[in-house]
């Protein structure tokens, strides 16, 4: 171990990130600038989340890494191995067993508890960026709470589509003050952000860290006439029959056959272990346990 | 510099500061919660928790203000050796350390700017005791309400009124630590 920096980053970098995390927690939803470091992986792989996780991990932690709900994608496996090697932490795929969960684009279905930390990988932290490309301007807009433009954008959705069409990265207002990008999670996950766990957000390329303490008010932006809806694909999971989870459509054969299954693979697996069987699922035999 | 300034740091800096930071983050994320924070063995007059906090967060990039009795040569030497943090007057401080009365008035510290509210001081208040009683706290990080033995009420209410600007506070006593971010609203307990 002594040949490595614990969790890859040097101590001074971790201190700088830790100070940014504390200011982020003190000002929920505000994007704290930090000096992002080069990581041994490309930006698209969540270097912001990786740096936040590196600054938070202790040797006693058990880490879970998910990519769109799955633990077994190349991205998730690489990050998990990276921390196994550099921080010697335990790893798990079970949400309930993890003390730190790094995620790309989902919140686990299983409600998180007070002893857990959820770290989001964020590609574009600025919710106003697609409306105003200049950082100097968006910073002023946050300072003045000038959030009219983002409401206009959502309202244009309504006039074009008859409803708010934004399905991912649906903007939220945190504790009645800062409008924040929840990262590209499906809007189905937005209501889960009022949770018992600490939520930390890291954007590597954009060099921003932000945070939501436990039990903080997180409100998805909407209109009186068009209240926010946490929508998802209709129907139940083909494997575990859950009708309350976020579903992914997957192609199952060469003839283009499709089915909907839970995007949270650990949650789906636990339900099947518990005996739930979907329309296209097979009962898990006793030998599967 | 006394030779004693060279001792009392983290034995294993990487792992001890990681464990210390978890306690520090937990209390900042959950105002009113009290955690144990140790690892450092600071000179007399500086608590284990405050010493461990400073070793975890301070370095040559953080400007530190020492107030009152805590501005002593042994403490300066120890902090210089273990953190390299430069000492500054209160208005320039990223971190300020002292007993409550010595840190006043709060108006002398940086509270951040409209565009960079994070550029605000963090105060480390050494207290004789720290208990989950006294002032009632509500706000982010607190499920319903919490109680913490704050050394005063009005200055913290004035600070909270500045949100999203304002200072953030750690309270240390022995090896215990708690925190009060600017987002927390402190109130007197309702009359029984
Ligand atoms: Zn399922």
């Amino acid at each position: 171990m002594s040949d490595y920096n614990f969790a890859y980053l040097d101590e001074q970098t971790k201190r700088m990130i830790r100070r940014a995390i504390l200011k982020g927690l003190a000002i929920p939803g505000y994007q704290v600038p930090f000096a992002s470091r080069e990581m041994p992986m490309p930006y698209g792989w969540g270097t912001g989340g990786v740096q936040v996780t590196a600054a938070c991990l202790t040797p006693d932690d058990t880490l879970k890494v998910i990519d769109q709900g799955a633990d077994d994608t190349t991205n998730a496996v690489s990050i998990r191995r990276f921390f196994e090697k550099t921080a010697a932490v335990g790893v798990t795929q079970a949400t309930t067993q993890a003390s730190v969960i790094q995620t790309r684009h989902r919140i686990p279905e299983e409600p998180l508890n007070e002893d857990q930390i959820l770290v989001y990988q964020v590609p574009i932290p600025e919710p106003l960026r697609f409306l105003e490309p200049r950082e100097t301007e968006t910073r002023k807009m946050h300072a003045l709470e000038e959030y009219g433009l983002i409401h206009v954008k959502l309202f244009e959705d309504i006039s074009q589509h008859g409803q708010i069409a934004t399905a991912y990265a649906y903007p939220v207002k945190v504790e009645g003050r800062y409008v924040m990008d929840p990262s590209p999670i499906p809007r189905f996950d937005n209501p889960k952000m009022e949770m018992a766990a600490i939520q930390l957000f890291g954007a590597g390329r954009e060099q921003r860290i932000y945070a939501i303490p436990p039990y903080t008010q997180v409100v998805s932006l909407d209109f009186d006439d068009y209240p926010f809806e946490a929508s998802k694909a209709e129907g139940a999971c083909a494997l575990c029959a859950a009708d309350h989870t976020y579903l992914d459509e997957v192609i199952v054969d060469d003839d283009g056959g499709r089915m909907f299954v839970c995007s949270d693979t650990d949650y789906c697996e636990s339900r099947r272990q518990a005996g739930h069987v979907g329309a296209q699922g097979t009962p898990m035999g006793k030998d599967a346990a | 510099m006394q030779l004693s300034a060279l001792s009392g740091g983290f034995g294993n800096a990487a792992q001890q500061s990681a464990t210390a930071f978890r306690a520090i983050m937990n209390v900042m994320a959950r105002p009113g919660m009290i955690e144990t924070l140790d690892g450092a063995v600071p000179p007399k007059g500086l608590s284990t928790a405050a010493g461990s906090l400073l070793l975890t967060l301070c370095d040559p990039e953080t400007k530190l203000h020492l107030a009152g009795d805590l501005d002593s040569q042994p403490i300066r030497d120890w902090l210089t050796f273990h953190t390299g943090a430069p000492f500054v007057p209160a208005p320039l401080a990223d971190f300020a350390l002292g007993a409550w009365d010595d840190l006043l008035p709060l108006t002398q510290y940086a509270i951040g700017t409209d565009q960079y509210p994070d550029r605000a001081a963090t105060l480390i208040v050494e207290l004789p005791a720290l208990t989950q009683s006294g002032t009632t706290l509500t706000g982010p990080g607190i499920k319903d309400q919490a109680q913490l033995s704050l050394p005063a009420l009005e200055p913290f209410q004035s600070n909270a009124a500045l949100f999203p600007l304002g200072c953030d506070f750690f309270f240390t006593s022995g090896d215990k630590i708690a925190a009060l971010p600017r987002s927390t609203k402190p109130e007197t307990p309702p009359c029984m």
Side-chain angles (χ1 to χ4, degrees):
Chain A
M1 278 296 295
S2 56
D3 291 348
Y4 294 91
N5 288 316
F6 177 72
Y8 184 78
L9 294 173
D10 63 87
E11 289 305 295
Q12 186 153 358
T13 298
K14 279 184 282 188
R15 275 193 296 272
M16 177 265 297
I17 294 171
R18 288 166 179 162
R19 293 192 296 262
I21 289 171
L22 294 176
K23 287 301 175 194
L25 286 165
I27 318 166
Y30 166 74
Q31 300 165 53
V32 185
F34 82 110
S36 183
R37 295 292 191 261
E38 291 287 332
M39 298 299 287
M41 57 192 77
Y43 275 124
W45 283 39
T47 56
V50 167
Q51 289 176 79
V52 169
T53 298
C56 285
L57 279 180
T58 75
D60 299 331
D61 275 315
T62 304
L63 177 69
K64 171 183 166 82
V65 182
I66 49 170
D67 180 1
Q68 311 254 20
D71 299 78
D72 58 359
T73 69
T74 312
N75 186 313
V77 170
S78 303
I79 293 172
R80 206 160 55 228
R81 287 204 183 129
F82 175 76
F83 284 118
E84 266 185 302
K85 196 171 154 194
T86 61
V89 291
V91 295
T92 184
Q93 300 199 8
T95 299
T96 50
Q97 302 296 311
S99 54
V100 176
I101 302 172
Q102 180 170 329
T103 180
R104 175 175 178 271
H105 304 185
R106 269 314 307 277
I107 296 175
E109 303 287 357
E110 183 73 34
L112 301 188
N113 65 48
E114 293 199 346
D115 297 321
Q116 294 179 306
I117 299 167
L118 182 60
V119 178
Y120 296 74
Q121 301 173 203
V122 182
I124 303 168
E126 179 49 73
L128 306 169
R129 183 62 68 233
F130 61 99
L131 302 166
E132 170 53 68
R134 289 167 298 179
E135 169 67 16
T136 49
E137 293 304 307
T138 52
R139 197 157 276 282
K140 273 185 213 157
M141 289 158 76
H142 283 294
L144 300 169
E145 283 185 84
E146 263 183 29
Y147 294 130
L149 266 185
I150 201 156
H151 278 101
V152 169
K153 158 75 174 71
L154 290 173
F155 201 78
E156 280 172 357
D157 260 18
I158 295 170
S159 27
Q160 277 182 23
H161 308 284
Q163 56 174 327
I164 298 176
T166 304
Y168 299 91
Y170 190 104
V172 295
K173 194 172 220 183
V174 181
E175 203 64 23
R177 180 56 181 83
Y178 286 99
V179 168
M180 189 197 93
D181 184 326
S183 87
I185 57 172
R187 73 181 191 196
F188 173 79
D189 282 343
N190 275 25
K192 296 183 195 155
M193 299 185 89
E194 291 188 347
M195 65 166 70
I198 295 173
Q199 297 171 83
L200 304 174
F201 300 77
R205 188 180 44 221
E206 306 272 335
Q207 313 205 76
R208 294 288 183 274
I209 285 170
Y210 49 105
I212 304 179
Y215 311 114
T216 297
Q217 184 196 59
V218 181
V219 177
S220 302
L221 301 183
D222 65 359
F223 301 93
D224 289 344
D225 298 348
Y226 295 90
F228 173 82
E229 279 178 55
S231 57
K232 67 175 192 78
E234 291 289 327
C237 171
L239 297 177
C240 79
D243 59 3
H244 59 281
T245 60
Y246 190 74
L247 302 174
D248 279 340
E249 190 174 20
V250 294
I251 295 171
V252 292
D253 56 42
D254 292 342
D255 303 328
R258 302 153 186 272
M259 62 178 186
F260 285 99
V261 297
C262 294
S263 114
D264 183 336
T265 52
D266 170 62
Y267 190 78
C268 194
E269 179 86 10
S270 332
R271 279 180 53 85
R272 293 164 68 200
Q273 297 277 8
H276 297 278
V277 184
Q280 294 175 64
T282 44
M284 287 198 128
K286 292 182 185 76
D287 56 311
Chain B
M1 187 186 283
Q2 299 281 311
L3 213 56
S4 59
L6 309 184
S7 63
F10 287 142
N12 179 333
Q15 302 204 0
Q16 283 185 294
S17 62
T19 305
F21 179 67
R22 179 61 57 83
I24 294 166
M25 178 169 73
N26 274 340
V27 296
M28 185 55 86
R30 297 182 174 86
M33 171 190 253
I34 297 175
E35 285 260 32
T36 298
L37 176 60
D38 54 20
V41 185
K44 204 164 181 297
L46 182 58
S47 71
T48 300
S52 303
L53 174 84
L54 290 162
L55 294 202
T56 304
L57 297 177
C58 291
D59 57 31
E61 291 177 15
T62 54
K63 297 190 281 294
L64 181 58
H65 173 68
L66 302 180
D69 292 344
L70 290 177
D71 189 5
S72 73
Q73 202 57 47
I75 291 174
R76 278 189 172 232
D77 288 347
W78 189 78
L79 289 170
T80 299
F81 180 76
H82 292 286
T83 71
F87 300 107
V88 297
L92 301 177
D94 297 310
F95 289 88
L97 169 73
W100 174 244
D101 287 338
D102 294 333
L103 286 165
L104 297 175
L106 293 190
T107 48
Q108 65 186 324
Y109 299 97
I111 56 168
T113 66
D114 287 343
Q115 294 193 23
Y116 294 95
D118 55 303
R119 294 178 183 172
T122 302
L123 275 61
I124 303 150
V125 187
E126 289 268 49
L127 296 177
L130 195 52
T131 59
Q132 288 183 308
S133 62
T135 308
T136 297
L137 312 178
T138 56
I142 301 167
K143 191 173 185 185
D144 298 308
Q145 59 176 45
Q147 264 82 36
L148 192 63
S149 52
L150 298 183
L153 179 62
E154 192 281 328
F156 295 109
Q157 289 179 322
S158 304
N159 184 67
L162 299 171
F163 185 87
L165 308 188
C167 300
D168 306 304
F169 301 86
F170 287 105
F171 303 101
T172 48
S173 185
D175 63 355
K176 300 296 177 209
I177 184 166
L180 188 85
R182 64 191 83 176
S183 59
T184 303
K185 289 166 279 294
E187 288 162 51
T188 40
C191 295
M192 292 295 167

